[in-house]
Every structure is written in C-alpha cells, then in structure tokens.
Amino acid sequence: MKYFKQTLLTITAAITFSSCSSQEREIIKKETVMNKKQQVVALLKAIETGAAEPVGVIDAAKYKQHNLAIADGLAGFGAALAQLPKGSARVNTVRVFEEGNFVFAHTDYNFFGPKIGFDIFRFEDGKIVEHWDNLQEKPVNANPSGRTMTDGPQEASELEKTEANKILVRAFVDDILVNGKMEKLAGYFNGDNYIQHNPQIADQLSGLGQALGEWAKQGITMKYDTIHKVLGEGNFVLVVSEGHLAGKLTSFYDLFRVEKGKIAEHWDVIEPIAPQSEWKNQNGKFGF
C-alpha cells in the first residue's frame, strides 16, 4: 500500500510542476528519480486493474522485451494483456529493489494461472526501455518448513554494504552452483542457519543437502552454467543465471538475503527456456 501512496504523491507533484519555484522543481525531479520502484509497482498493478496511466512510464519507441512468450515492444505487451481472461489477473508485488538504472521486483501473480515471478526493468532517461522476467507456477502447499515462495522480510537494510554483499553472493553462486566446489559451502553460511523458500526444500543447510540427495536418487541433476547478472540493494541480492535442470535448458533467478556477511535466506524462481522456434521475440532470455 505504501508504494501506491508514494506513487500518487509523485503524480500530484508532476501535475503541479509548472507552478513550482526552481528550487521546488529540483526537489520534485529528485523525488521522481527516487520513485522508480513505485513506478514499477504501479505498472505491474496495472496488469490487474487495466489502468492506462502507469503504462506511460514505458518508452514505446525503445521498449525491448525478453519474456520469450511475448512479442517485442509495447505492442507485444499490450497484445499479451488482451489475451488475459477478463477479470482474471491478480498482482501483488511483495518486494521491490533498485540498483542504478535497474529495478527488480518479486511478485505473486495470477497471470494465465497462479505464478510467482521476478521482473527486472531497465530505465533510461526516466523511462522503462527493457524488461526481463522469470515465472514459475505457484505451488498449492507451503514447503517442508511451512514457508511460501514470497513470505519473509521485504525491506532492504545496510545499503552501504550493497557491493560487498553482491561480491559475496556472486562468489557463492560461482563456487557452489557453477563450479561445484562443495568444500567451500559451509563458509558462506552461519552454521546450519539458512531460511529456504524453494517450494521443495526445507530450511537449514541440512535441508538443502537432503533435497539434493533425494534428487540425485531420482536422477535429477541441477547445474548452473553462466551467471548473467547480479543486482543488489543493501542486504538483498538477485542473481540471474542460465543452466540445466533435469537435462532441460533453464533460467534461474535466485534472491538472497545477507546477514552479518553470511547468506541467511533464499527465494528462487525457476523457468525452463523454450526452444527458439517457439520464441515470440528474438531478443533472448538474458542479453544484459
């Protein structure tokens, strides 16, 4: 709710912009820059409400789409929304973060069925010019530790530690998930303390180990091949990676919360990458 209140204040400020003093105009400009997160939340909510105003944040001439099921440009976005059954869409953005020209959001959707998603938007000159996402079907039940794919802390803290936390998390993904250096695993965590939101895995490092062991027995392998992007705000870091799950080319979006220099909590969204013959745009899934 607070994001929508802040967005309304920004819109009101813009309307009265011409009547303000030069000093007041500079304040409004700064507030507009600071409110990229609120603009993203309003844009996503417009999928549910059909409101036209938030779509104005998209630069129609430059908008580049990386969701491979949607055609490129603003027209492709509009065509996808037109196919939604009337009144079916639901959008609840749970957490949203910002780094430079990028805003990344974690959202509980009903978008052609219940889904959990991560969205990344790139801004240029105050407008959204590019979009990436990852969507996964929302599970009916909580995970073995009673957690959902979206619950937990929502606000970033320790903003001064953003770069250090990004370095830590990138190293973890590179060491453990890309290169399989399991001997380094314990060093990234505070003992067995680890909160897990993956729908199939329980809390604690022991829960992760148990799940991986069960998958191995079933012949299910998970391998990260490439880290494409690392974004962070304070103690939250999102890693976008490409790899294979059960032999299928897969996109992995992993959000980590860092606490006292150790990884404390994890959310993820995992999506198979469709064959290129099925793509509705040729921008690629990643392309950062």
Side-chain angles (χ1 to χ4, degrees), residues 70-126:
I70 299 177
D72 203 13
L74 186 56
F77 179 56
L81 295 184
Q83 295 174 20
L84 279 166
K86 187 175 181 179
S88 67
R90 294 291 181 271
V91 179
N92 176 31
T93 298
V94 178
R95 48 184 63 83
V96 59
F97 305 104
E98 178 179 347
E99 182 189 345
N101 290 326
F102 291 92
V103 172
F104 52 106
H106 192 191
T107 300
D108 186 341
Y109 284 107
N110 192 323
F111 185 74
F112 300 104
K115 294 177 175 66
I116 302 298
F118 281 110
D119 292 90
I120 301 173
F121 296 90
R122 183 173 68 85
F123 282 74
E124 187 177 286
D125 298 325

Side-chain angles (χ1 to χ4, degrees), residues 31 39 69 96 112 131 140 151-152 165 169 246 265:
E31 287 299 316
Q39 290 173 316
V96 59
F112 300 104
H131 169 252
V140 175
D151 62 354
N165 289 334
V169 170
E265 196 161 3

